[in-house]
Amino acid sequence: MATTSPPLSPGSPRWRSTPARLLIAATVAAVGAFSALMVMPDANAAASTLGAAAAQSGRYFGTAIAAGRLNDATYSTIAGREFNMITAENEMKPDATQPQRGRFTFTSGDQIYNWATQRGLQVRGHTLAWHAQQPGWMQSLSGSALRQAMIEHINGVMAHYKGKLAAWDVVNEAFNEDGSRRPSNLQGTGNDWIEVAFRTARAADPSTKLCYNDYNIENWTYGKTQGVYNMIRDFKARGVPIDCVGLQTHFTGGSSLPGNFQTTLSSFAALGVDVTLTEVDVTNASTTQYAGLTQACLNVPRCIGITVWGVRDSDSWRASENPLLFDGGGNKKAAYNSVLNALNAATPNPSSPAPSGSSTPPAGTGRIVGAQSGRCVDVPNASQNNGTRVQLYDCNGQANQTWTLTSGKQLTVYGSRCLDAAGSGNGAAVQIYACGGQANQQWNVNANGTITGVQSGRCLDVWGTGNGQQMQIYDCNGQANQRFSLS
């Protein structure tokens, strides 16, 4: 049984040893099963970039970016072309954002955010509370003083980026390999520190998805995986705000794609959280492993996106292992093609019939924007009079998503009034916020006409409403004054 001792996280200033992790290599049969599910797409239907291909199934495909490399033309060209989600490699971590207590700096983080949003790309925040890469002043604290410093840091950083980011990795790498809590300085403030971090984050920015992020939680039977799973299950049962779990998915040395990887994803998703692959890299960019992890995500509806940790092999924290999808010269590798083919194979066939009452939407940016002033949706057969406020309910990732975009650019509801808003209980009322015309729109219109929530926000762009404000949504009762259209 292979073992390895990886560093805690890419982008760390030095290598850090951890207890040997128990890893189960993917069996040939498991990889074969993944591969058998992939079908080569029709060339006319296939998207030509990773981000575009992922978006066709309502997902993202992202990368980690370092601000210091953005002046590299090859690097920035690939990143801007291929990906539709960006994570700051180090620039939003505690030591970068609050090097001195009470003195926040966002210059490098904002450089990445501005670069991404100017290109229409979304941004994930990484990370708010972590035992590593703490500034020196924070490392010197303990107990209640450290707890207060953590709260102040979360509030300060999230206030700066409020309403702008798709998600935050609120807490990073808080578990040991056996599933117990890591004995960090943050753990020393009390076992409830993770819960406090998530509650603080929700209060600081209700519109952003809140994630727990960790490595070595890909194998369903592994102790660490079970420890994280049990924490999230407890949080969901007690109403602690958590929207997603990030699996770093570093497959290194003796580790490889576990045969039960999809079971892990679906088991987390069944708790009512979204699942993301946040820091993907694979030794020697194994084509079968990249294709397998991509297909596993595509097979789980609440696996909403994949992020590779770096652009080219030469940019990777594991550069000597050539673990990414582009080589040092910026050329696409065989693994790139395997991932692109898997993403394109998941795209709904444009020639297949759309659901009753809808049609394939016209080409556009994928944003739903309010036309003129109205904020209206058409709720067929509703008993309300025209203009009555509509109650919208969460379908919680189930198959009964019922919002479609009709050929007349109306949003209609079939039966129940449901949207998939991750983080709410099935049937619970959904709070929907206006994005105010910003780039971080959170609802995608899929090729089959359905509308699904993406990453953080439960946001629609409603003209005339301030960014982050709760929307007043009214029933148009079948009238002609529908106010939402596809841009």
Side-chain angles (χ1 to χ4, degrees):
M1 195 170 295
T3 61
T4 185
S5 298
L8 294 181
S9 180
S12 298
R14 64 184 183 274
W15 289 71
R16 298 178 174 90
S17 295
T18 61
R21 57 179 176 178
L22 176 65
L23 296 150
I24 297 181
T27 63
V28 174
V31 173
F34 284 132
S35 301
L37 292 173
M38 292 185 292
V39 179
M40 289 295 291
D42 183 281
N44 295 325
S48 60
T49 66
L50 299 170
Q56 292 173 115
S57 65
R59 293 174 170 85
Y60 66 79
F61 202 99
T63 190
I65 290 293
R69 294 192 180 98
L70 288 176
N71 290 329
D72 181 325
T74 301
Y75 178 91
S76 59
T77 297
I78 295 171
R81 180 190 71 221
E82 290 289 340
F83 304 103
N84 58 354
M85 180 68 75
I86 298 299
T87 303
E89 193 167 315
N90 285 293
E91 290 80 354
M92 294 185 186
K93 290 176 180 174
D95 58 351
T97 51
Q98 197 183 179
Q100 296 178 325
R101 187 166 193 178
R103 297 185 65 179
F104 291 88
T105 176
F106 301 103
T107 302
S108 295
D110 285 352
Q111 182 183 355
I112 290 175
Y113 174 80
N114 293 333
W115 179 89
T117 55
Q118 286 165 7
R119 290 158 177 78
L121 312 178
Q122 293 184 309
V123 180
R124 295 184 79 256
H126 176 77
T127 179
L128 294 169
W130 188 25
H131 66 275
Q133 288 187 249
Q134 295 176 0
W137 66 266
M138 187 177 288
Q139 296 176 41
S140 69
L141 302 178
S142 61
S144 60
L146 178 59
R147 173 71 64 91
Q148 185 58 34
M150 178 193 75
I151 292 170
E152 291 171 357
H153 181 78
I154 292 171
N155 283 329
V157 175
M158 293 193 76
H160 179 77
Y161 289 108
K162 186 174 182 178
K164 296 181 178 180
L165 303 188
W168 267 106
D169 290 331
V170 178
V171 173
N172 198 45
E173 300 176 353
F175 281 79
N176 288 321
E177 302 304 298
D178 64 0
S180 62
R181 291 286 186 89
R182 181 190 296 274
S184 67
N185 61 348
L186 291 169
Q187 181 66 24
T189 70
N191 198 54
D192 65 338
W193 76 272
I194 300 178
E195 176 177 342
V196 170
F198 274 89
R199 291 192 185 278
T200 302
R202 175 67 86 225
D205 188 353
S207 69
T208 299
K209 275 192 178 174
L210 309 179
C211 304
Y212 176 80
N213 190 57
D214 217 325
Y215 64 91
N216 282 5
I217 58 172
E218 294 80 24
N219 178 357
W220 175 240
T221 62
Y222 191 45
K224 189 175 193 177
T225 308
Q226 291 299 308
V228 174
Y229 175 85
N230 289 332
M231 179 189 71
I232 295 175
R233 181 173 60 182
D234 172 62
F235 281 8
K236 296 298 288 186
R238 294 191 295 111
V240 179
I242 185 168
D243 304 309
C244 40
V245 58
L247 292 79
Q248 293 183 14
T249 319
H250 297 297
F251 292 145
T252 72
S255 72
S256 60
L257 178 68
N260 58 18
F261 183 56
Q262 186 175 315
T263 298
T264 304
L265 301 183
S266 59
S267 297
F268 277 119
L271 293 177
V273 294
D274 286 337
V275 183
T276 62
L277 312 185
T278 54
E279 304 179 18
V280 176
D281 44 27
V282 179
T283 297
N284 296 322
S286 164
T287 299
T288 53
Q289 291 192 49
Y290 261 113
L293 69 87
T294 301
Q295 190 62 51
C297 180
L298 292 170
N299 290 344
V300 177
R302 292 198 72 157
C303 185
I304 62 172
I306 299 171
T307 294
V308 289
W309 203 253
V311 177
R312 304 164 300 191
D313 286 337
S314 55
D315 307 311
S316 172
W317 64 308
R318 300 165 52 202
S320 64
E321 298 179 63
N322 302 313
L324 298 175
L325 300 177
F326 293 86
D327 66 22
N331 302 300
K332 299 173 184 177
K333 296 161 68 172
Y336 171 96
N337 293 323
S338 72
V339 170
L340 184 65
N341 288 340
L343 294 171
N344 273 318
T347 303
N349 188 339
S351 63
S352 64
S356 175
S358 70
S359 66
T360 301
T365 64
R367 293 187 301 166
I368 305 297
V369 295
Q372 297 91 48
S373 62
R375 302 170 208 160
C376 277
V377 293
D378 183 11
V379 185
N381 304 315
S383 59
Q384 295 94 337
N385 293 326
N386 189 38
T388 302
R389 188 169 179 179
V390 179
Q391 293 284 326
L392 303 179
Y393 293 91
D394 182 20
C395 293
N396 202 27
Q398 303 307 307
N400 60 331
Q401 308 311 314
T402 53
W403 292 87
T404 60
L405 182 72
T406 70
S407 58
K409 295 189 177 181
Q410 296 176 331
L411 295 181
T412 61
V413 192
Y414 298 104
S416 62
R417 296 150 206 171
C418 278
L419 285 166
D420 181 11
S424 300
N426 191 33
V430 179
Q431 292 195 354
I432 300 182
Y433 294 87
C435 292
Q438 304 307 308
N440 60 335
Q441 310 309 321
Q442 301 301 309
W443 296 94
N444 275 355
V445 178
N446 303 318
N448 65 358
T450 61
I451 297 171
T452 56
V454 177
Q455 295 92 45
S456 73
R458 304 167 206 159
C459 274
L460 289 167
D461 184 10
V462 183
W463 298 350
T465 303
N467 188 36
Q469 290 185 347
Q470 188 170 356
M471 296 195 317
Q472 300 277 328
I473 300 182
Y474 297 91
D475 181 20
C476 293
N477 202 26
Q479 305 306 309
N481 60 336
Q482 310 308 319
R483 301 298 185 185
F484 286 94
S485 61
L486 178 65
S487 66

